[in-house]
Amino acid sequence: EPVCSFRFRLHARPQAFPQIRIRILLLSSFVNTVHKVGTYFELHYNGTSMHLNYVWLRDHCRSESSFNAKTNQRELDSASIDLDIRPVSTKVEDGRLLLKWPDDHVTSYDLNWLSENSYEGNRKSTVQPRVLWDSDTYNKANVPPAKWDKIMNCDSELKRFLQNYLLFGVAFVQDVPATVEATEEVTQRVSLIRETTYGRMWCFTSDFSRGDSAYSQLALDRHTDTSYFHEPCGIQVFHCLKHEGTGGRTLLVDGFNAAEKLRENSPDNFKLLTQIPIKHDYVENTGNHKNHMRGIGPLLEVYPWNKELYMIRYNNYDRSVINTIPHNVIQSWYIAHRELTTELRRPQNELWIKLNPGTVVFIDNWRVMHGRESFTGLRQLCGCYLTRDDVLSTARGLGLQA
Ligand SMILES: C[N+](C)(C)CCCC[C@H](N)C(=O)O
Ligand SMILES: O=C(O)CCC(=O)C(=O)O
Ligand SMILES: [Fe+2]
């Protein structure tokens, strides 16, 4: 039996609130305190102390005239709410909070809904569960790869795959036919493909067909892709269709593991990297391709309300001119960047794998960095980018927290 109590503000004569007084008597064992407070109502429920703003309480009303339950969209015009609105009466009954407003409209909230959706209730559960890894912990976790046959036909296999993806930021599918078509099919189980200047599905070799170092045989240090987009691509998919030669292993590094170490060891440097906006550019001017993309944002993005890290944008190749900060800040930024880089380059953080035909890897491009060893011979890599929103939507649809 969850414990519930509430506080409210008396805005008028106390006798204007007969219901509340009655409730207080009836629920006397549940009521902790009754306080005079300004713009909110304080409710204790299920171990959570919620501070519920009155405008918010009117705005989130789930009555038919306020909210369309079929489309899950608000009907109420929020701008029509008096910003000084107060309920004329308030009570808790049968697990619900009932509020009567000056125009006689009644709002009824399920207390469980409130505790899940209030700021205080939400704060406990929003942080995405993740397993931060280095190569040792990743290998020890022994994450089973999904299988082509199963993932294509079976939602529980897709769910397991996505659960691993959400936890580790990387996940594999094996036994995929070594074709662009099969690679496309398996990605479409997961999400929508994000078409970019490189195409929808791309298949590339070291032929310098584009003005970018990916189209060479050179080694590439760890990085995230499309840092020059306003919203970098959510997922990178790789499938090595062919390699006749040496080298060419893929490097994976958990960027969040490194960034969290930085937060722990040097909170000020971490903070700086979350605050200083940095430009990344993709400038291509070849016969067939003319592009100039630009993205501006901090290397580390954290949610302002709980400081949870949700994106790392790290690409030393594509990072462009720093001209958003004065010289004295620049020195501190380079120090912070160096510390993050040192962490990212620790050998124990490096997971090296040789991608072979049949194995498709999905990489969270907001978290896990990729790179590659230099190589010889013909190496053909196909893949695509996926939209992050749609990946998370698929995951939520399967009942996962995302
Ligand atoms: C994956 N694919 C070969 C198509 C594109 C590579 C883009 C490379 C770019 N420097 C970046 O890091 O975003
Ligand atoms: O060739 C590779 O393994 C990866 C190259 C790369 O970084 C990319 O295509 O984004
Ligand atoms: Fe890349």
Side-chain angles (χ1 to χ4, degrees), residues 60-81:
H60 291 75
C61 179
R62 262 39 189 166
S63 68
E64 228 173 277
S65 61
S66 309
F67 189 78
N68 184 333
K70 284 208 183 73
T71 65
N72 286 303
Q73 287 176 299
R74 182 178 283 100
E75 297 272 318
L76 175 70
D77 174 16
S78 307
S80 71
I81 304 169

Side-chain angles (χ1 to χ4, degrees), residues 120-274:
E120 291 87 355
N122 194 39
R123 218 157 51 136
K124 287 189 193 158
S125 64
T126 47
V127 177
Q128 183 63 35
R130 292 187 176 97
V131 180
L132 302 184
W133 50 266
D134 57 25
S135 65
D136 206 40
T137 49
Y138 185 81
N139 286 325
K140 284 208 177 104
N142 240 322
V143 187
K147 299 284 182 190
W148 159 256
D149 282 344
K150 280 202 195 146
I151 201 170
M152 291 311 290
N153 301 305
C154 171
D155 279 356
S156 62
E157 181 82 347
L158 179 61
K159 184 174 176 176
R160 260 194 305 280
F161 169 84
L162 282 169
Q163 178 68 85
N164 289 331
Y165 173 80
L166 292 168
L167 285 175
F168 295 96
V170 57
F172 297 85
V173 185
Q174 284 180 342
D175 304 337
V176 181
T179 64
V180 178
E181 292 71 29
T183 312
E184 179 173 5
E185 267 183 68
V186 73
T187 61
Q188 283 175 329
R189 276 289 277 161
V190 175
S191 172
L192 295 180
I193 293 170
R194 179 163 172 188
E195 184 165 353
T196 64
T197 171
Y198 310 108
R200 215 177 94 84
M201 292 299 297
W202 26 259
C203 193
F204 67 100
T205 60
S206 47
D207 60 3
F208 296 99
S209 60
R210 301 295 299 264
D212 188 275
S213 50
Y215 299 77
S216 72
Q217 292 186 323
L218 299 173
L220 292 175
D221 190 29
R222 65 224 69 197
H223 64 275
T224 59
D225 266 28
T226 62
S227 50
Y228 40 81
F229 284 176
H230 181 68
E231 187 200 295
C233 291
I235 289 194
Q236 164 106 292
V237 177
F238 283 135
H239 188 179
C240 183
L241 301 181
K242 195 185 262 186
H243 185 199
E244 292 151 359
T246 58
R249 283 181 307 159
T250 296
L251 168 64
L252 298 172
V253 176
D254 184 356
F256 283 10
N257 186 37
E260 290 299 349
K261 288 267 158 54
L262 178 67
R263 168 148 49 191
E264 215 176 288
N265 299 336
S266 308
D268 290 345
N269 285 347
F270 177 91
K271 197 167 165 198
L272 202 65
L273 294 183
T274 68

Side-chain angles (χ1 to χ4, degrees), residues 294-330:
R294 175 172 294 161
I296 307 178
L299 259 56
L300 305 176
E301 299 255 16
V302 295
Y303 292 125
W305 61 88
N306 65 359
K307 306 294 179 236
E308 177 185 359
L309 176 64
Y310 70 90
M311 177 163 82
I312 177 161
R313 191 194 307 257
Y314 184 97
N315 191 319
N316 206 51
Y317 303 106
D318 296 333
R319 185 164 50 73
S320 71
V321 177
I322 301 179
N323 53 12
T324 49
I325 39 171
H327 71 95
N328 54 327
V329 189
I330 285 183

